[in-house]
Amino acid sequence: MNTLHEPARDLPVIHEADVCVLGGSCTGLFAAIRAARLGARVVIVEKDNCFGGVATTAMVNVWHSLHDTEGKQQIIAGLTQETIDRLDRRGTVKRHELTNPSRGFTFNSEELKIELDELAREAGIKIYLHTQFAAPAPLRDASGRLEAVFVENKSGRGAIRARMFIDATGDADLAARLGCETYLANHLQPATACARFAGWSTLGETAARVGELIREHGPAHQLPPTFSWGNYVPNSDVYMLAATRIHGINPANADDLTHGEIEGRRQVRAIMDILRAASPDARLSLEALPSRLGLRESRHIRSSYQLSGDDVLSGRAFDDTIAQGSYRVDIHHQDKPGITLRYLDGLEEYHRPGHPSERSRWRPETATNPTYYQIPYRTLLPVSGPDNVIVAGRMLDVDPIAHAAVRVMVNMNQTGEAAGVAAVMALDTNQPLRALNVPALRAKLAAGGSAL
Ligand SMILES: Cc1cc2nc3c(=O)[nH]c(=O)nc-3n(C[C@H](O)[C@H](O)[C@H](O)COP(=O)(O)OP(=O)(O)OC[C@H]3O[C@@H](n4cnc5c(N)ncnc54)[C@H](O)[C@@H]3O)c2cc1C
């Protein structure tokens, strides 16, 4: 490879903290807040201009049900519930969870940005927005701990020193750069550029035919077969549509990401042209594009335990459970059109564009079914690398079927809360993250509001 030497230089330590969180989606921010509420000095580093990750910058305005599949037991609470309650007080969230668990809660992503700012400020966290994690500092010794990370922003490059680090970058940027073992699934779930449209209701009946119209006219616009869904932004005529598909990109690769952003926007325009042609009198306008492509999957870390599809679909219980979920397995295929949905009660549906849904069973019927699944603490701990680094979010160690269920935000938010509390417990007890007393961790999570 053609290379240039970057001269070594001393960098200013711009901040010192107990816990440093990299990545400020709700996963990362909730980690930071839980740690700060336990008295830790916390710093959070986010490369975009706001908190929220996919929920804000990629405009995905849906959190799924906080209840089990029967709607009887609340299995998720904590900061997800707290945030929903705060949005509710402002009238910017709609609850559908008991009638449509898959829709759960729809909210206004712009209001969420402001609410997350408030939560961060109230917790007294040091915030760096527009700041990118660049590299880990060299380890203290071969078996040592991570002492600092290098970040880059408008003010230049600097170091943040901390005692614990939480990688919530979605792409396992810290873990990968530390040389921890990571892997990519054979078929990464595709990326999607969402879009918000004003005047959606003026489309009339066309609004219900988006998928069909894309199927019919998409090939003329070089649109791949897709699965389209969307939601009104509460109390508005603005509609968030997720209907594009960018296949075959690895979001942890800069060229792929660049191509994905541009291709996503091209597809949004093509869809808009198809809708306008079908409904020429509609007053449809493109209200907003995402500031970041919606990413479903990139790197995963290798931990001592890979959560499997079997674990999820059988509702397997773990002694070290730190998060729970009931969202179905939802595989957005890269290798064939459409999506497959697999449910805890043994049913499976394959939705293939242009064809009737195919219903079958992935397992025989049983008298009782699991109603939720569990995520173990172990899946957040890189099997190798410094013992003061933990991950949270979609890079946890899961097989493709488990990933297709657990990746959704109400689940990932809990992994953040667990990582934040674990980091503080490890500091308080002077223990490595891998040796934590997990029953005590679970008790602390519950005491702070988690539904464990
Ligand atoms: C189109 C689409 C639809 C989806 N639909 C739903 C849905 O309806 N409901 C649902 O719950 N989930 C949905 N998901 C899945 C869900 O959004 C993701 O799996 C989830 O957001 C993952 O959360 P995360 O915190 O791990 O990652 P992300 O939300 O990707 O957050 C990572 C954060 O880290 C920051 N970051 C990354 N690298 C760096 C760096 N080097 N330095 C500093 N900051 C960095 C990013 O800017 C971002 O804020 C959808 C995803 C997509 C793409």
Side-chain angles (χ1 to χ4, degrees), residues 25 27 46-48 54 60 62 64 133 169 173 294-295 393-394 407-409:
S25 68
T27 309
E46 166 54 49
K47 70 176 171 50
D48 288 332
V54 164
V60 176
V62 185
H64 303 297
F133 155 73
T169 59
D173 284 358
L295 305 173
R394 61 180 157 83
R407 69 186 168 84
V408 296
M409 292 179 267

mmCIF file with all atom_site columns, all heavy atoms in Angstrom, residues 25 27 46-48 54 60 62 64 133 169 173 294-295 393-394 407-409, ligand 1:
data_model
loop_
_atom_site.group_PDB
_atom_site.id
_atom_site.type_symbol
_atom_site.label_atom_id
_atom_site.label_alt_id
_atom_site.label_comp_id
_atom_site.label_asym_id
_atom_site.label_entity_id
_atom_site.label_seq_id
_atom_site.pdbx_PDB_ins_code
_atom_site.Cartn_x
_atom_site.Cartn_y
_atom_site.Cartn_z
_atom_site.occupancy
_atom_site.B_iso_or_equiv
_atom_site.pdbx_formal_charge
_atom_site.auth_seq_id
_atom_site.auth_comp_id
_atom_site.auth_asym_id
_atom_site.auth_atom_id
_atom_site.pdbx_PDB_model_num
ATOM   1   N N   . SER A 1 25  ? -25.687 7.714  20.467 1.00 0.00 ? 25  SER A N   1
ATOM   2   C CA  . SER A 1 25  ? -27.083 7.314  20.235 1.00 0.00 ? 25  SER A CA  1
ATOM   3   C C   . SER A 1 25  ? -27.723 7.189  21.615 1.00 0.00 ? 25  SER A C   1
ATOM   4   O O   . SER A 1 25  ? -27.061 7.404  22.641 1.00 0.00 ? 25  SER A O   1
ATOM   5   C CB  . SER A 1 25  ? -27.135 5.964  19.513 1.00 0.00 ? 25  SER A CB  1
ATOM   6   O OG  . SER A 1 25  ? -26.658 4.961  20.382 1.00 0.00 ? 25  SER A OG  1
ATOM   7   N N   . THR A 1 27  ? -28.283 4.520  23.034 1.00 0.00 ? 27  THR A N   1
ATOM   8   C CA  . THR A 1 27  ? -27.461 3.493  23.696 1.00 0.00 ? 27  THR A CA  1
ATOM   9   C C   . THR A 1 27  ? -26.322 4.158  24.477 1.00 0.00 ? 27  THR A C   1
ATOM   10  O O   . THR A 1 27  ? -26.153 3.919  25.676 1.00 0.00 ? 27  THR A O   1
ATOM   11  C CB  . THR A 1 27  ? -26.838 2.559  22.624 1.00 0.00 ? 27  THR A CB  1
ATOM   12  O OG1 . THR A 1 27  ? -27.861 2.092  21.764 1.00 0.00 ? 27  THR A OG1 1
ATOM   13  C CG2 . THR A 1 27  ? -26.111 1.405  23.256 1.00 0.00 ? 27  THR A CG2 1
ATOM   14  N N   . GLU A 1 46  ? -19.560 12.352 20.565 1.00 0.00 ? 46  GLU A N   1
ATOM   15  C CA  . GLU A 1 46  ? -20.477 11.999 19.463 1.00 0.00 ? 46  GLU A CA  1
ATOM   16  C C   . GLU A 1 46  ? -20.031 12.751 18.205 1.00 0.00 ? 46  GLU A C   1
ATOM   17  O O   . GLU A 1 46  ? -19.811 13.954 18.245 1.00 0.00 ? 46  GLU A O   1
ATOM   18  C CB  . GLU A 1 46  ? -21.919 12.365 19.853 1.00 0.00 ? 46  GLU A CB  1
ATOM   19  C CG  . GLU A 1 46  ? -22.916 12.362 18.721 1.00 0.00 ? 46  GLU A CG  1
ATOM   20  C CD  . GLU A 1 46  ? -22.977 11.061 17.899 1.00 0.00 ? 46  GLU A CD  1
ATOM   21  O OE1 . GLU A 1 46  ? -23.062 9.979  18.477 1.00 0.00 ? 46  GLU A OE1 1
ATOM   22  O OE2 . GLU A 1 46  ? -22.921 11.166 16.646 1.00 0.00 ? 46  GLU A OE2 1
ATOM   23  N N   . LYS A 1 47  ? -19.957 12.024 17.088 1.00 0.00 ? 47  LYS A N   1
ATOM   24  C CA  . LYS A 1 47  ? -19.431 12.658 15.869 1.00 0.00 ? 47  LYS A CA  1
ATOM   25  C C   . LYS A 1 47  ? -20.458 13.542 15.171 1.00 0.00 ? 47  LYS A C   1
ATOM   26  O O   . LYS A 1 47  ? -20.098 14.424 14.404 1.00 0.00 ? 47  LYS A O   1
ATOM   27  C CB  . LYS A 1 47  ? -18.880 11.605 14.908 1.00 0.00 ? 47  LYS A CB  1
ATOM   28  C CG  . LYS A 1 47  ? -19.924 10.737 14.259 1.00 0.00 ? 47  LYS A CG  1
ATOM   29  C CD  . LYS A 1 47  ? -19.285 9.806  13.250 1.00 0.00 ? 47  LYS A CD  1
ATOM   30  C CE  . LYS A 1 47  ? -20.246 8.776  12.734 1.00 0.00 ? 47  LYS A CE  1
ATOM   31  N NZ  . LYS A 1 47  ? -21.534 9.268  12.247 1.00 0.00 ? 47  LYS A NZ  1
ATOM   32  N N   . ASP A 1 48  ? -21.753 13.302 15.418 1.00 0.00 ? 48  ASP A N   1
ATOM   33  C CA  . ASP A 1 48  ? -22.776 14.124 14.771 1.00 0.00 ? 48  ASP A CA  1
ATOM   34  C C   . ASP A 1 48  ? -23.123 15.325 15.659 1.00 0.00 ? 48  ASP A C   1
ATOM   35  O O   . ASP A 1 48  ? -22.502 15.530 16.695 1.00 0.00 ? 48  ASP A O   1
ATOM   36  C CB  . ASP A 1 48  ? -24.017 13.276 14.472 1.00 0.00 ? 48  ASP A CB  1
ATOM   37  C CG  . ASP A 1 48  ? -23.750 12.298 13.316 1.00 0.00 ? 48  ASP A CG  1
ATOM   38  O OD1 . ASP A 1 48  ? -22.903 12.606 12.463 1.00 0.00 ? 48  ASP A OD1 1
ATOM   39  O OD2 . ASP A 1 48  ? -24.375 11.234 13.278 1.00 0.00 ? 48  ASP A OD2 1
ATOM   40  N N   . VAL A 1 54  ? -29.497 6.530  15.239 1.00 0.00 ? 54  VAL A N   1
ATOM   41  C CA  . VAL A 1 54  ? -30.470 6.209  14.187 1.00 0.00 ? 54  VAL A CA  1
ATOM   42  C C   . VAL A 1 54  ? -31.843 6.854  14.472 1.00 0.00 ? 54  VAL A C   1
ATOM   43  O O   . VAL A 1 54  ? -32.561 7.236  13.558 1.00 0.00 ? 54  VAL A O   1
ATOM   44  C CB  . VAL A 1 54  ? -30.578 4.661  14.043 1.00 0.00 ? 54  VAL A CB  1
ATOM   45  C CG1 . VAL A 1 54  ? -31.816 4.259  13.267 1.00 0.00 ? 54  VAL A CG1 1
ATOM   46  C CG2 . VAL A 1 54  ? -29.326 4.123  13.360 1.00 0.00 ? 54  VAL A CG2 1
ATOM   47  N N   . VAL A 1 60  ? -35.357 7.409  12.197 1.00 0.00 ? 60  VAL A N   1
ATOM   48  C CA  . VAL A 1 60  ? -36.195 6.235  12.494 1.00 0.00 ? 60  VAL A CA  1
ATOM   49  C C   . VAL A 1 60  ? -36.969 6.516  13.783 1.00 0.00 ? 60  VAL A C   1
ATOM   50  O O   . VAL A 1 60  ? -36.420 6.446  14.882 1.00 0.00 ? 60  VAL A O   1
ATOM   51  C CB  . VAL A 1 60  ? -35.333 4.957  12.633 1.00 0.00 ? 60  VAL A CB  1
ATOM   52  C CG1 . VAL A 1 60  ? -36.200 3.768  13.034 1.00 0.00 ? 60  VAL A CG1 1
ATOM   53  C CG2 . VAL A 1 60  ? -34.605 4.663  11.320 1.00 0.00 ? 60  VAL A CG2 1
ATOM   54  N N   . VAL A 1 62  ? -39.412 5.162  15.596 1.00 0.00 ? 62  VAL A N   1
ATOM   55  C CA  . VAL A 1 62  ? -40.226 4.092  16.195 1.00 0.00 ? 62  VAL A CA  1
ATOM   56  C C   . VAL A 1 62  ? -39.456 3.369  17.281 1.00 0.00 ? 62  VAL A C   1
ATOM   57  O O   . VAL A 1 62  ? -38.340 2.901  17.050 1.00 0.00 ? 62  VAL A O   1
ATOM   58  C CB  . VAL A 1 62  ? -40.590 3.007  15.144 1.00 0.00 ? 62  VAL A CB  1
ATOM   59  C CG1 . VAL A 1 62  ? -41.527 1.970  15.765 1.00 0.00 ? 62  VAL A CG1 1
ATOM   60  C CG2 . VAL A 1 62  ? -41.208 3.611  13.932 1.00 0.00 ? 62  VAL A CG2 1
ATOM   61  N N   . HIS A 1 64  ? -40.185 0.041  19.693 1.00 0.00 ? 64  HIS A N   1
ATOM   62  C CA  . HIS A 1 64  ? -41.150 -1.056 19.761 1.00 0.00 ? 64  HIS A CA  1
ATOM   63  C C   . HIS A 1 64  ? -41.667 -1.229 21.192 1.00 0.00 ? 64  HIS A C   1
ATOM   64  O O   . HIS A 1 64  ? -41.237 -0.537 22.121 1.00 0.00 ? 64  HIS A O   1
ATOM   65  C CB  . HIS A 1 64  ? -40.519 -2.328 19.205 1.00 0.00 ? 64  HIS A CB  1
ATOM   66  C CG  . HIS A 1 64  ? -40.026 -2.154 17.797 1.00 0.00 ? 64  HIS A CG  1
ATOM   67  N ND1 . HIS A 1 64  ? -40.881 -1.872 16.752 1.00 0.00 ? 64  HIS A ND1 1
ATOM   68  C CD2 . HIS A 1 64  ? -38.782 -2.159 17.266 1.00 0.00 ? 64  HIS A CD2 1
ATOM   69  C CE1 . HIS A 1 64  ? -40.170 -1.724 15.640 1.00 0.00 ? 64  HIS A CE1 1
ATOM   70  N NE2 . HIS A 1 64  ? -38.887 -1.894 15.933 1.00 0.00 ? 64  HIS A NE2 1
ATOM   71  N N   . PHE A 1 133 ? -14.242 9.953  17.627 1.00 0.00 ? 133 PHE A N   1
ATOM   72  C CA  . PHE A 1 133 ? -13.199 9.091  18.197 1.00 0.00 ? 133 PHE A CA  1
ATOM   73  C C   . PHE A 1 133 ? -12.276 8.706  17.046 1.00 0.00 ? 133 PHE A C   1
ATOM   74  O O   . PHE A 1 133 ? -12.737 8.259  15.999 1.00 0.00 ? 133 PHE A O   1
ATOM   75  C CB  . PHE A 1 133 ? -13.815 7.842  18.833 1.00 0.00 ? 133 PHE A CB  1
ATOM   76  C CG  . PHE A 1 133 ? -12.850 6.697  18.886 1.00 0.00 ? 133 PHE A CG  1
ATOM   77  C CD1 . PHE A 1 133 ? -11.795 6.718  19.795 1.00 0.00 ? 133 PHE A CD1 1
ATOM   78  C CD2 . PHE A 1 133 ? -12.947 5.621  18.010 1.00 0.00 ? 133 PHE A CD2 1
ATOM   79  C CE1 . PHE A 1 133 ? -10.865 5.682  19.829 1.00 0.00 ? 133 PHE A CE1 1
ATOM   80  C CE2 . PHE A 1 133 ? -12.029 4.584  18.043 1.00 0.00 ? 133 PHE A CE2 1
ATOM   81  C CZ  . PHE A 1 133 ? -10.992 4.620  18.953 1.00 0.00 ? 133 PHE A CZ  1
ATOM   82  N N   . THR A 1 169 ? -20.239 3.002  19.455 1.00 0.00 ? 169 THR A N   1
ATOM   83  C CA  . THR A 1 169 ? -20.153 3.622  18.120 1.00 0.00 ? 169 THR A CA  1
ATOM   84  C C   . THR A 1 169 ? -20.984 2.875  17.080 1.00 0.00 ? 169 THR A C   1
ATOM   85  O O   . THR A 1 169 ? -20.980 3.260  15.908 1.00 0.00 ? 169 THR A O   1
ATOM   86  C CB  . THR A 1 169 ? -18.694 3.665  17.628 1.00 0.00 ? 169 THR A CB  1
ATOM   87  O OG1 . THR A 1 169 ? -18.193 2.304  17.589 1.00 0.00 ? 169 THR A OG1 1
ATOM   88  C CG2 . THR A 1 169 ? -17.803 4.499  18.520 1.00 0.00 ? 169 THR A CG2 1
ATOM   89  N N   . ASP A 1 173 ? -15.883 0.776  16.683 1.00 0.00 ? 173 ASP A N   1
ATOM   90  C CA  . ASP A 1 173 ? -14.659 1.471  16.240 1.00 0.00 ? 173 ASP A CA  1
ATOM   91  C C   . ASP A 1 173 ? -13.532 1.330  17.256 1.00 0.00 ? 173 ASP A C   1
ATOM   92  O O   . ASP A 1 173 ? -12.379 1.077  16.888 1.00 0.00 ? 173 ASP A O   1
ATOM   93  C CB  . ASP A 1 173 ? -14.942 2.968  16.031 1.00 0.00 ? 173 ASP A CB  1
ATOM   94  C CG  . ASP A 1 173 ? -15.693 3.239  14.738 1.00 0.00 ? 173 ASP A CG  1
ATOM   95  O OD1 . ASP A 1 173 ? -15.946 2.272  13.993 1.00 0.00 ? 173 ASP A OD1 1
ATOM   96  O OD2 . ASP A 1 173 ? -16.018 4.415  14.481 1.00 0.00 ? 173 ASP A OD2 1
ATOM   97  N N   . GLY A 1 294 ? -29.252 5.339  7.409  1.00 0.00 ? 294 GLY A N   1
ATOM   98  C CA  . GLY A 1 294 ? -29.681 4.399  8.444  1.00 0.00 ? 294 GLY A CA  1
ATOM   99  C C   . GLY A 1 294 ? -28.959 3.066  8.299  1.00 0.00 ? 294 GLY A C   1
ATOM   100 O O   . GLY A 1 294 ? -29.053 2.403  7.262  1.00 0.00 ? 294 GLY A O   1
ATOM   101 N N   . LEU A 1 295 ? -28.218 2.697  9.336  1.00 0.00 ? 295 LEU A N   1
ATOM   102 C CA  . LEU A 1 295 ? -27.391 1.483  9.276  1.00 0.00 ? 295 LEU A CA  1
ATOM   103 C C   . LEU A 1 295 ? -27.965 0.441  10.216 1.00 0.00 ? 295 LEU A C   1
ATOM   104 O O   . LEU A 1 295 ? -28.272 0.744  11.367 1.00 0.00 ? 295 LEU A O   1
ATOM   105 C CB  . LEU A 1 295 ? -25.949 1.807  9.687  1.00 0.00 ? 295 LEU A CB  1
ATOM   106 C CG  . LEU A 1 295 ? -25.293 2.943  8.886  1.00 0.00 ? 295 LEU A CG  1
ATOM   107 C CD1 . LEU A 1 295 ? -23.941 3.290  9.495  1.00 0.00 ? 295 LEU A CD1 1
ATOM   108 C CD2 . LEU A 1 295 ? -25.157 2.553  7.429  1.00 0.00 ? 295 LEU A CD2 1
ATOM   109 N N   . GLY A 1 393 ? -24.710 -1.773 22.301 1.00 0.00 ? 393 GLY A N   1
ATOM   110 C CA  . GLY A 1 393 ? -25.347 -1.492 21.015 1.00 0.00 ? 393 GLY A CA  1
ATOM   111 C C   . GLY A 1 393 ? -25.209 -2.638 20.040 1.00 0.00 ? 393 GLY A C   1
ATOM   112 O O   . GLY A 1 393 ? -24.835 -3.757 20.403 1.00 0.00 ? 393 GLY A O   1
ATOM   113 N N   . ARG A 1 394 ? -25.445 -2.307 18.762 1.00 0.00 ? 394 ARG A N   1
ATOM   114 C CA  . ARG A 1 394 ? -25.625 -3.357 17.755 1.00 0.00 ? 394 ARG A CA  1
ATOM   115 C C   . ARG A 1 394 ? -24.379 -4.164 17.443 1.00 0.00 ? 394 ARG A C   1
ATOM   116 O O   . ARG A 1 394 ? -24.443 -5.142 16.702 1.00 0.00 ? 394 ARG A O   1
ATOM   117 C CB  . ARG A 1 394 ? -26.217 -2.756 16.475 1.00 0.00 ? 394 ARG A CB  1
ATOM   118 C CG  . ARG A 1 394 ? -25.366 -1.696 15.794 1.00 0.00 ? 394 ARG A CG  1
ATOM   119 C CD  . ARG A 1 394 ? -26.065 -1.186 14.535 1.00 0.00 ? 394 ARG A CD  1
ATOM   120 N NE  . ARG A 1 394 ? -25.624 0.143  14.142 1.00 0.00 ? 394 ARG A NE  1
ATOM   121 C CZ  . ARG A 1 394 ? -24.541 0.404  13.438 1.00 0.00 ? 394 ARG A CZ  1
ATOM   122 N NH1 . ARG A 1 394 ? -23.746 -0.566 13.053 1.00 0.00 ? 394 ARG A NH1 1
ATOM   123 N NH2 . ARG A 1 394 ? -24.239 1.655  13.127 1.00 0.00 ? 394 ARG A NH2 1
ATOM   124 N N   . ARG A 1 407 ? -31.415 -6.174 17.699 1.00 0.00 ? 407 ARG A N   1
ATOM   125 C CA  . ARG A 1 407 ? -30.783 -4.919 17.287 1.00 0.00 ? 407 ARG A CA  1
ATOM   126 C C   . ARG A 1 407 ? -31.652 -3.678 17.509 1.00 0.00 ? 407 ARG A C   1
ATOM   127 O O   . ARG A 1 407 ? -31.152 -2.561 17.456 1.00 0.00 ? 407 ARG A O   1
ATOM   128 C CB  . ARG A 1 407 ? -30.419 -4.998 15.798 1.00 0.00 ? 407 ARG A CB  1
ATOM   129 C CG  . ARG A 1 407 ? -31.633 -5.009 14.898 1.00 0.00 ? 407 ARG A CG  1
ATOM   130 C CD  . ARG A 1 407 ? -31.331 -5.238 13.433 1.00 0.00 ? 407 ARG A CD  1
ATOM   131 N NE  . ARG A 1 407 ? -32.529 -5.523 12.683 1.00 0.00 ? 407 ARG A NE  1
ATOM   132 C CZ  . ARG A 1 407 ? -33.338 -4.603 12.195 1.00 0.00 ? 407 ARG A CZ  1
ATOM   133 N NH1 . ARG A 1 407 ? -33.069 -3.328 12.361 1.00 0.00 ? 407 ARG A NH1 1
ATOM   134 N NH2 . ARG A 1 407 ? -34.433 -4.939 11.552 1.00 0.00 ? 407 ARG A NH2 1
ATOM   135 N N   . VAL A 1 408 ? -32.962 -3.855 17.753 1.00 0.00 ? 408 VAL A N   1
ATOM   136 C CA  . VAL A 1 408 ? -33.825 -2.664 17.797 1.00 0.00 ? 408 VAL A CA  1
ATOM   137 C C   . VAL A 1 408 ? -33.538 -1.820 19.045 1.00 0.00 ? 408 VAL A C   1
ATOM   138 O O   . VAL A 1 408 ? -33.011 -2.301 20.041 1.00 0.00 ? 408 VAL A O   1
ATOM   139 C CB  . VAL A 1 408 ? -35.323 -3.019 17.689 1.00 0.00 ? 408 VAL A CB  1
ATOM   140 C CG1 . VAL A 1 408 ? -35.625 -3.643 16.338 1.00 0.00 ? 408 VAL A CG1 1
ATOM   141 C CG2 . VAL A 1 408 ? -35.775 -3.896 18.839 1.00 0.00 ? 408 VAL A CG2 1
ATOM   142 N N   . MET A 1 409 ? -33.940 -0.559 18.949 1.00 0.00 ? 409 MET A N   1
ATOM   143 C CA  . MET A 1 409 ? -33.459 0.428  19.928 1.00 0.00 ? 409 MET A CA  1
ATOM   144 C C   . MET A 1 409 ? -33.894 0.160  21.364 1.00 0.00 ? 409 MET A C   1
ATOM   145 O O   . MET A 1 409 ? -33.111 0.362  22.286 1.00 0.00 ? 409 MET A O   1
ATOM   146 C CB  . MET A 1 409 ? -33.858 1.831  19.484 1.00 0.00 ? 409 MET A CB  1
ATOM   147 C CG  . MET A 1 409 ? -33.119 2.261  18.218 1.00 0.00 ? 409 MET A CG  1
ATOM   148 S SD  . MET A 1 409 ? -33.592 3.897  17.650 1.00 0.00 ? 409 MET A SD  1
ATOM   149 C CE  . MET A 1 409 ? -34.897 3.528  16.499 1.00 0.00 ? 409 MET A CE  1
HETATM 150 C C1  . LIG B 2 .   ? -33.905 2.157  8.323  1.00 0.00 ? 1   LIG B C1  1
HETATM 151 C C2  . LIG B 2 .   ? -33.817 1.530  9.666  1.00 0.00 ? 1   LIG B C2  1
HETATM 152 C C3  . LIG B 2 .   ? -34.969 1.236  10.320 1.00 0.00 ? 1   LIG B C3  1
HETATM 153 C C4  . LIG B 2 .   ? -34.926 0.728  11.595 1.00 0.00 ? 1   LIG B C4  1
HETATM 154 N N1  . LIG B 2 .   ? -36.092 0.545  12.232 1.00 0.00 ? 1   LIG B N1  1
HETATM 155 C C5  . LIG B 2 .   ? -36.079 0.400  13.556 1.00 0.00 ? 1   LIG B C5  1
HETATM 156 C C6  . LIG B 2 .   ? -37.258 0.561  14.307 1.00 0.00 ? 1   LIG B C6  1
HETATM 157 O O1  . LIG B 2 .   ? -38.335 0.750  13.747 1.00 0.00 ? 1   LIG B O1  1
HETATM 158 N N2  . LIG B 2 .   ? -37.168 0.486  15.642 1.00 0.00 ? 1   LIG B N2  1
HETATM 159 C C7  . LIG B 2 .   ? -35.991 0.231  16.257 1.00 0.00 ? 1   LIG B C7  1
HETATM 160 O O2  . LIG B 2 .   ? -35.964 0.207  17.474 1.00 0.00 ? 1   LIG B O2  1
HETATM 161 N N3  . LIG B 2 .   ? -34.872 0.033  15.579 1.00 0.00 ? 1   LIG B N3  1
HETATM 162 C C8  . LIG B 2 .   ? -34.877 0.142  14.246 1.00 0.00 ? 1   LIG B C8  1
HETATM 163 N N4  . LIG B 2 .   ? -33.725 0.024  13.524 1.00 0.00 ? 1   LIG B N4  1
HETATM 164 C C9  . LIG B 2 .   ? -32.516 -0.548 14.126 1.00 0.00 ? 1   LIG B C9  1
HETATM 165 C C10 . LIG B 2 .   ? -31.840 0.366  15.073 1.00 0.00 ? 1   LIG B C10 1
HETATM 166 O O3  . LIG B 2 .   ? -31.984 1.657  14.664 1.00 0.00 ? 1   LIG B O3  1
HETATM 167 C C11 . LIG B 2 .   ? -30.352 0.095  15.243 1.00 0.00 ? 1   LIG B C11 1
HETATM 168 O O4  . LIG B 2 .   ? -30.070 -1.252 15.302 1.00 0.00 ? 1   LIG B O4  1
HETATM 169 C C12 . LIG B 2 .   ? -29.968 0.782  16.534 1.00 0.00 ? 1   LIG B C12 1
HETATM 170 O O5  . LIG B 2 .   ? -30.113 2.172  16.368 1.00 0.00 ? 1   LIG B O5  1
HETATM 171 C C13 . LIG B 2 .   ? -28.561 0.480  16.883 1.00 0.00 ? 1   LIG B C13 1
HETATM 172 O O6  . LIG B 2 .   ? -28.209 1.344  17.903 1.00 0.00 ? 1   LIG B O6  1
HETATM 173 P P1  . LIG B 2 .   ? -26.733 1.684  18.218 1.00 0.00 ? 1   LIG B P1  1
HETATM 174 O O7  . LIG B 2 .   ? -26.765 2.645  19.333 1.00 0.00 ? 1   LIG B O7  1
HETATM 175 O O8  . LIG B 2 .   ? -25.945 0.448  18.377 1.00 0.00 ? 1   LIG B O8  1
HETATM 176 O O9  . LIG B 2 .   ? -26.172 2.366  16.897 1.00 0.00 ? 1   LIG B O9  1
HETATM 177 P P2  . LIG B 2 .   ? -26.437 3.784  16.235 1.00 0.00 ? 1   LIG B P2  1
HETATM 178 O O10 . LIG B 2 .   ? -27.834 4.233  16.424 1.00 0.00 ? 1   LIG B O10 1
HETATM 179 O O11 . LIG B 2 .   ? -25.922 3.638  14.846 1.00 0.00 ? 1   LIG B O11 1
HETATM 180 O O12 . LIG B 2 .   ? -25.503 4.777  17.053 1.00 0.00 ? 1   LIG B O12 1
HETATM 181 C C14 . LIG B 2 .   ? -24.106 4.886  16.960 1.00 0.00 ? 1   LIG B C14 1
HETATM 182 C C15 . LIG B 2 .   ? -23.713 6.282  17.402 1.00 0.00 ? 1   LIG B C15 1
HETATM 183 O O13 . LIG B 2 .   ? -22.303 6.380  17.464 1.00 0.00 ? 1   LIG B O13 1
HETATM 184 C C16 . LIG B 2 .   ? -21.864 7.531  16.759 1.00 0.00 ? 1   LIG B C16 1
HETATM 185 N N5  . LIG B 2 .   ? -20.526 7.240  16.253 1.00 0.00 ? 1   LIG B N5  1
HETATM 186 C C17 . LIG B 2 .   ? -20.175 6.272  15.370 1.00 0.00 ? 1   LIG B C17 1
HETATM 187 N N6  . LIG B 2 .   ? -18.853 6.263  15.170 1.00 0.00 ? 1   LIG B N6  1
HETATM 188 C C18 . LIG B 2 .   ? -18.342 7.250  15.964 1.00 0.00 ? 1   LIG B C18 1
HETATM 189 C C19 . LIG B 2 .   ? -17.020 7.720  16.195 1.00 0.00 ? 1   LIG B C19 1
HETATM 190 N N7  . LIG B 2 .   ? -15.963 7.154  15.593 1.00 0.00 ? 1   LIG B N7  1
HETATM 191 N N8  . LIG B 2 .   ? -16.857 8.743  17.052 1.00 0.00 ? 1   LIG B N8  1
HETATM 192 C C20 . LIG B 2 .   ? -17.938 9.322  17.676 1.00 0.00 ? 1   LIG B C20 1
HETATM 193 N N9  . LIG B 2 .   ? -19.196 8.902  17.478 1.00 0.00 ? 1   LIG B N9  1
HETATM 194 C C21 . LIG B 2 .   ? -19.404 7.871  16.644 1.00 0.00 ? 1   LIG B C21 1
HETATM 195 C C22 . LIG B 2 .   ? -22.900 7.699  15.667 1.00 0.00 ? 1   LIG B C22 1
HETATM 196 O O14 . LIG B 2 .   ? -22.916 9.003  15.145 1.00 0.00 ? 1   LIG B O14 1
HETATM 197 C C23 . LIG B 2 .   ? -24.184 7.343  16.426 1.00 0.00 ? 1   LIG B C23 1
HETATM 198 O O15 . LIG B 2 .   ? -24.719 8.423  17.130 1.00 0.00 ? 1   LIG B O15 1
HETATM 199 C C24 . LIG B 2 .   ? -33.704 0.470  12.219 1.00 0.00 ? 1   LIG B C24 1
HETATM 200 C C25 . LIG B 2 .   ? -32.520 0.727  11.556 1.00 0.00 ? 1   LIG B C25 1
HETATM 201 C C26 . LIG B 2 .   ? -32.579 1.255  10.274 1.00 0.00 ? 1   LIG B C26 1
HETATM 202 C C27 . LIG B 2 .   ? -31.311 1.561  9.588  1.00 0.00 ? 1   LIG B C27 1
#
